[in-house]
Amino acid sequence: MTIALATTTPGEPEIFASLQGEGPSAGRPSLFIRLSRCNLACQWCDTAYTWRFTGDNRPHRDGLAFERQANQLVLQEDDIVARLLAFPQDRLVVTGGEPLLQAPALARVLAALKTARPGLHVEIETNGTVAPAPAIDPLIDQFNVSPKLAHSGNPADLALIPARLAAWAAEPRAFFKFVVASPEDCDEVAALQATYGIPGERLFVMPEGTDSDTVRSREKWLSTLALQHGWRMSDRLHIHLYGDTRGT
């Protein structure tokens, strides 16, 4: 079986070691694998090369369309396992796109990795719309759930599924990470927290931005709102260190 991955350059999968830049594990040395495909289309998405291929007319602020062959690479499961085991890190972050769309094959990869490297900590980045399949659920140590607010441009009935949000709120392994671009977005976060009972300890707000100046500017007002609401605030460490680049 195969898995579709994003690429750093044509023919090279986006598998890399870096410091986790966001959320509860920020600053931790980690191994990353970025999968391709997504069921949502955020207009500010900074990894649109994982889903907005030529012919996909879903809106994006950059208006770019990516050629699929150069930006998506399909690899066999055993090849992916071997590539990942070549790195020494004991923390794996699976990101995308939406990784849970490829759960059956991904579950087999993670099972093989955990057998070969006992103690491997696995985080998965998800937009929160897809339930983890039974085969993959016990293999995940941490879910980083990023529900998409109205400013993402996604219809609420696709991006904010009540049953899924309630399930994530009740899941102690799940940390919520809301991307915000304006103070008004925080009103939507507060409403979702109240509706689903999301614990403040597991709720992060993070500024949208693909350059340090934008991130820092938004953190000034976001820090005040996070303090008022009892939320945690996430920086975007990788943006400050490497800019908006692949494989970082």
Side-chain angles (χ1 to χ4, degrees), residues 3-185:
I3 294 180
L5 285 75
T7 62
T8 51
T9 58
E12 292 297 325
E14 195 166 1
I15 295 174
F16 60 98
S18 188
L19 300 178
Q20 170 63 290
E22 304 173 352
S25 303
R28 288 182 178 271
S30 303
L31 171 60
F32 290 80
I33 177 172
R34 187 179 301 280
L35 305 192
S36 189
R37 298 171 51 200
C38 193
N39 60 329
L40 297 182
C42 297
Q43 60 186 1
W44 39 256
C45 179
D46 59 0
T47 57
Y49 59 89
T50 66
W51 59 269
R52 200 174 192 272
F53 302 119
T54 303
D56 187 332
N57 295 318
R58 290 178 290 176
H60 189 273
R61 66 184 176 193
D62 293 337
L64 297 176
F66 297 87
E67 199 277 316
R68 185 186 296 270
Q69 187 173 358
N71 291 278
Q72 186 181 84
L73 182 64
V74 177
L75 293 179
Q76 296 289 330
E77 294 171 16
D78 56 354
D79 187 4
I80 295 171
V81 171
R83 289 172 184 261
L84 292 172
L85 288 175
F87 289 81
Q89 285 75 23
D90 61 1
R91 179 176 294 261
L92 174 67
V93 180
V94 186
T95 188
E98 174 48 59
L100 290 176
L101 294 177
Q102 302 188 70
L106 181 58
R108 290 188 291 271
V109 167
L110 295 179
L113 288 171
K114 289 208 164 194
T115 297
R117 186 167 294 169
L120 179 70
H121 180 98
V122 177
E123 299 181 18
I124 196 160
E125 307 272 353
T126 175
N127 60 32
T129 64
V130 182
I136 201 170
D137 184 71
L139 299 169
I140 308 301
D141 299 288
Q142 179 176 312
F143 292 96
N144 300 324
V145 183
S146 184
K148 305 310 177 188
L149 304 175
H151 73 96
S152 71
N154 292 289
D157 61 343
L158 295 180
L160 301 172
I161 301 172
R164 290 305 323 138
L165 292 172
W168 291 124
E171 170 56 70
R173 294 173 293 167
F175 290 83
F176 285 75
K177 183 179 63 183
F178 291 97
V179 177
V180 299
S182 71
E184 291 72 26
D185 297 330

